[in-house]
Every structure is written in structure tokens, then in C-alpha cells.
Amino acid sequence: MMKTKSPHIVSRSEWLLARKKHLAREKELTRLRDQMLEERRELPWVKVDKTYVFEGPKGRVTLDELFRGRSQLIVYHFMFGPDWESGCGSCSFVSDHFDAARQHFEHHDVALAVVSRGPIAKLEAFRQRMGWKFPWVSSEKNDFNFDYHVSLTPEQMQKGGVEYNYEKLDPGMPMDELPGASVFVKGEDGTIYHTYSTYARGLDILIGAHNFLDLTPQGRNETEGMSWVRYHDRYDEADDGRSCAGLRGVLIAMGAEKGDGQ
């Protein structure tokens, strides 16, 4: 376990002064975040022209059907390639938070779906192992992952120039699957629009465990991104599942792991 630096021990009155000074900074961040969220809601929309058809556990499912009667849809792009035997450990960490939250926001006109390129049989087996209940569909037979910049072809990996997190990746990209989240809305006439996508550390807001850790003196207590994270059923074992070390290298190179936040 990482050790914290030597604490500064003070009286209660001195601590209170320091705490109030820090509270002013917290309030400043809250106001700035409120402003940013308002700007996000005002972003323009883009019409989705393609008819995406996914494979679900009970057969074919369209993007329209993923809304499940709601007008808004959040899609999490889970890293699980066609040849993988299990899902990304970091994406699994994020996904552990979904079911608790969605029992609330699904009553507030928002649907959630998870999409990966892995075959549906593998996705279902892994979902059942992890005990997840959220809808998970396969985009193995459509362009959805490529259109929303979370999957790369071998040619793109070698040639570079492909976009991720709104920047061009250099040649020699080591990962063909990357994480992200995209938001869609359905108009009154049934037209579907893409309103937002976020990648890299923009996904951090989905991880409730991080918010708890950030309250503590040691914080997230990590040296290489989320290298400490394991599948929730593997913390007592040495095996931590498929490594996302290559992804961490890409994000660090982009300045996305530390420093610029996104």
C-alpha cells in the first residue's frame, strides 16, 4: 500500500481555517461545473442517418429499440473485441456502477445500453459472470463502433491519423478497442440525433468509487492509471483479467491520464 506524506498536525481552529479556505475552492469548482453542464445541454445535435442493427441475447435490436420507450439514450462503449475472451478490466470497473444508477434514471426518461464488438455469446457469458443486469448488445456486424471512434481497423492502427477524443492518434496505435460514452435523443417524429460523446478521462464522472476515494487522504492511491483495479470477483486472485496497459500508454501520451483532465 502506498504511504501518504507526513501529515501536518494542527489544532482544531487551524484545521477549520484551512478547511474553509479549501471550501471556497470547492464552491468555485461547483459553480464552474454548473456552467459547463449548461453549455453541454446547449450543444447542437446531429441526425443519425444510419440504421444500426445490433445482436442482443434475444436476436436483432435496432438503435431505436435501445431507447426502450424513452426519449434519451446513453450508450457506453465497452472494450470487448471480437477475439477477446473477457471484457476490459477498466471498463468492468466503470460498468459495476451502472445498475445501481439506472434503476433511478430510467424512471427519468433516460435509457442505458452497453455496446461492444464482441460476439453476443461472449458478452452474455461475461455479463452473467459479473452479475450485471443492464442491456448489452453486440455491434460486431455493423459500423457503430467505428463511426463513434472507439474501434480501429488494423490499417488505421498502422497508418495513424484516426480520431480519438477529438485528436488524431499517431501511427502504431497499440489498442484496437477504446472506451467512450455517447448520448442520443429521439425527436417527437422518431428521428434519432447524436448529442454528445466523451472519451478517456471524460468517463471519470461515471465512476462513483473514485469519488469516494477522492475524499480520503490517500485519494486514488495509484501510479499507473487504474492498474490497481481488478474484476470485482478477482480481488483475491493474482489474475486481473485482460490488461489495458496499452490504453493507459495512449492516454498518457495524449495527456489524458494526468494533467489536462481530458
Side-chain angles (χ1 to χ4, degrees):
M1 179 177 292
M2 185 184 301
K3 294 183 179 179
T4 58
K5 62 182 180 180
S6 299
H8 183 202
I9 308 300
V10 298
S11 67
R12 175 70 183 182
S13 59
E14 290 175 301
W15 176 88
L16 192 57
L17 288 174
R19 177 65 187 97
K20 287 183 176 181
K21 182 178 179 180
H22 182 65
L23 177 60
R25 293 282 289 160
E26 290 177 332
K27 289 183 176 182
E28 180 182 353
L29 178 61
T30 298
R31 288 190 291 269
L32 181 60
R33 177 169 174 74
D34 287 344
Q35 178 183 339
M36 181 271 295
L37 293 176
E38 181 63 27
E39 292 172 356
R40 179 184 297 169
R41 289 188 288 270
E42 294 176 355
L43 286 173
W45 300 356
V46 177
K47 182 181 178 181
V48 177
D49 292 318
K50 287 188 178 181
T51 302
Y52 294 103
V53 179
F54 306 90
E55 290 294 325
K58 296 183 179 180
R60 292 156 59 91
V61 182
T62 65
L63 180 63
D64 181 83
E65 290 172 323
L66 292 180
F67 281 80
R68 303 195 313 282
R70 298 167 178 86
S71 71
Q72 301 167 100
L73 170 67
I74 299 171
V75 169
Y76 182 73
H77 304 285
F78 190 115
M79 295 169 62
F80 198 138
D83 61 337
W84 296 21
E85 295 305 318
S86 57
C88 162
S90 299
C91 287
S92 297
F93 179 48
V94 178
S95 299
D96 279 338
H97 297 79
F98 292 167
D99 283 328
R102 75 185 184 91
Q103 65 182 319
H104 298 284
F105 64 67
E106 286 190 344
H107 292 280
H108 202 55
D109 197 31
V110 178
L112 171 75
V114 176
V115 176
S116 303
R117 282 205 307 132
I120 189 60
K122 288 184 178 181
L123 303 185
E124 270 297 285
F126 190 67
R127 185 175 70 91
Q128 291 177 20
R129 169 193 153 184
M130 302 302 282
W132 295 327
K133 304 298 182 183
F134 53 73
W136 197 354
V137 297
S138 171
S139 60
E140 184 181 18
K141 298 178 182 179
N142 66 40
D143 296 329
F144 188 77
N145 276 42
F146 299 103
D147 291 346
Y148 290 94
H149 306 283
V150 290
S151 292
L152 310 179
T153 66
E155 293 75 21
Q156 289 173 326
M157 293 168 66
Q158 291 301 317
K159 294 180 180 179
V162 67
E163 181 183 281
Y164 179 68
N165 200 24
Y166 309 102
E167 296 181 2
K168 298 294 184 181
L169 295 176
D170 294 330
M173 170 68 189
M175 299 287 289
D176 60 352
E177 300 291 332
L178 295 164
S182 296
V183 181
F184 302 88
V185 66
K186 187 185 296 186
E188 293 183 1
D189 63 352
T191 301
I192 297 174
Y193 301 91
H194 173 227
T195 68
Y196 183 73
S197 284
T198 190
Y199 308 93
R201 286 204 65 189
L203 300 167
D204 193 58
I205 192 64
L206 302 178
I207 307 176
H210 275 172
N211 296 317
F212 282 93
L213 292 173
D214 287 343
L215 295 173
T216 67
Q218 292 190 34
R220 301 182 189 185
N221 197 7
E222 56 192 16
T223 56
E224 295 183 34
M226 293 190 290
S227 59
W228 62 275
V229 171
R230 303 290 185 267
Y231 296 133
H232 63 241
D233 62 349
R234 294 290 188 272
Y235 273 104
D236 294 330
E237 301 177 17
D239 177 23
D240 64 344
R242 187 178 181 91
S243 171
C244 292
L247 172 62
R248 289 196 296 274
V250 171
L251 299 185
I252 290 171
M254 295 172 60
E257 280 275 313
K258 296 180 180 179
D260 71 359
Q262 293 245 351

